[in-house]
Each structure stands twice: as C-alpha cells, then as structure tokens.
Amino acid sequence: GKRAFVAGVADDNGFGWAIAKSLAAAGAEILVGTWVPALNIFETSLQRGKFDESRKLPDGSLMEITKIYPLDAVFDNPDDVPEDIKTNRRYAGSTNWTVREVAESVKRDFGSIDILVHSLANGPEVSKPLLETSRNGYLAALSASRGSSISLTHVASERIIPGYGGGMNSAKAALESDTRVLAFEAGRKHKIRVNTISAGPLRSRAAKAIGF
Ligand code: ZID
C-alpha cells in the first residue's frame, strides 16, 4: 500500500480530511500534519469519537490515522521561530513541528512517503482587501500557502474574487507558478509529480472565515 502525508487537517470539514478519506478508502496509510495550536482539540475530538461518523469509509470501516504530527508550515527550522511563538502556551506542549523537523520525524518513523498533500490555508488578513493588507499579512499569506506534490489552489489566482483578500490571490498565483516549476525540477531530478487542484467551493473552517 501507499503511504500519504496530508498536511492541513484539524477537523472533519476541510479538503484535507476528505482527501485523507479518499486515500484511506483506496488502501493508503494516512499520516497527518496538524497546525500546532489546533492539535489538542483535534486529538481530543478524535479520541472522544466526535469524528467517528465522518471517519466511515465506503466499506463500513473507520479511517485510521496512523500518526498525527504537530506542524507549523510557516517555519522551516527551529532557528526561524520567533520568541513569542516559542513561548506561546499553545506551542509549549509540542516539539519538532517545523517543516524540516516534521520531515525528519516522518523519515525516522516510516522511512518514506508516497504521496504528499498540502491542504493548508492561512491568510491572516484574508478578509481585508488587498489595498488594505499589511506587508506582514501579505507575506504570511504567501509563506503558509505554497506547497508541493498535491496542493489546493483557488481561481482567485487568475480572476478577481472580491472578498478573497490579504494577498491570498497572490499566494495562489505563486502556488500555481511554483507548481509548474517544481513539476519540472522535481520531476526531472526525483521523478516526483507535482500538481495543484482548483476544486469547487467547500464550506470548510477556512472558507467560513471569509463568509463563503
Ligand atoms: P481548512 O480550514 O479545513 O484547512 C486549512 C488548514 O490549514 C487548517 O487545518 C489549519 O489549521 C491549517 N493551517 C493554517 N495555517 C497553518 C500553518 N502555518 N501550518 C500548518 N497548518 C496550518 O480549509 P480548506 O479545506 O478550505 O483549505 C484547504 C485548501 O483548500 C487551502 O489551500 C485552501 O486555500 C484551498 N481552497 C479551499 C476552498 C474552499 O472552498 N474551501 C476554495 C479554494 C481553495 C474556495 O474557496 N470557487 C469558489 C471558492 C473556492 C473554490 C472555488
């Protein structure tokens, strides 16, 4: 069977959860990366059976998540993490959650993965028009929204979508461009396919935040 790592699952409403389920139904082993501040409530809800109904696969069995890794995709190394995050109460209980550390942990635990899904969204100023977006908000949107292998993009990269602000349009345009370049580079170098999906709208937590 294949092993998949799905980054960006913290409840059962988003694309990450739905993709994980489809992969599990197809026989894949599922690992997930969950945003550090959301980890506690996700693990607790899972343990208490809150997601059991939506864990149901077509054959009646429940999706198993082999391991949940705390992840903050904005930081590559511990050196990148600013003091206020390091000392933040919601981060204090977890370790090894920067991108490089998670990659190393997965490698140590499982050796390799076959499928990587990037299903993250974080535009802290997504509800502000681009005209009113701060430099920090804009850079945060670009920093969290780039990805590889399979990611989720938005039609706002090429068309004006009022309400999709904070630089998220730019983040998605960068994602699509990077997908093309990474498909070329990683394809030649490692035979890794890199794609992005522009799905229809889904009322996830991220989408509700901007009133979709
Ligand atoms: P979600 O809230 O379920 O997933 C986002 C996840 O990212 C959450 O679990 C967060 O905790 C996590 N996260 C945020 N920041 C970080 C971080 N720094 N490190 C680690 N994790 C973090 O929302 P979702 O399922 O909507 O989002 C998944 C992907 O789908 C994102 O890339 C979205 O941009 C993309 N997407 C979603 C929609 C939609 O409808 N939900 C649309 C386009 C793209 C869309 O709105 N026509 C009209 C509208 C749309 C599509 C077509």
Side-chain angles (χ1 to χ4, degrees), residues 117-131:
V117 180
H118 174 291
S119 187
L120 311 182
N122 191 18
E125 297 183 22
V126 64
S127 54
K128 279 191 199 166
L130 190 56
L131 257 181

Side-chain angles (χ1 to χ4, degrees), residues 17-28 30 51-65:
W17 177 271
I19 292 168
K21 263 179 82 175
S22 299
L23 291 169
I30 305 300
F51 302 136
D52 282 0
E53 198 50 44
S54 53
R55 277 171 65 204
K56 271 216 181 93
L57 300 175
D59 71 359
S61 69
L62 299 188
M63 170 171 70
E64 290 296 338
I65 300 175

Side-chain angles (χ1 to χ4, degrees), residues 34 43 85 92 95 171 179:
T34 301
E43 283 186 326
I85 301 267
T95 51
T179 298

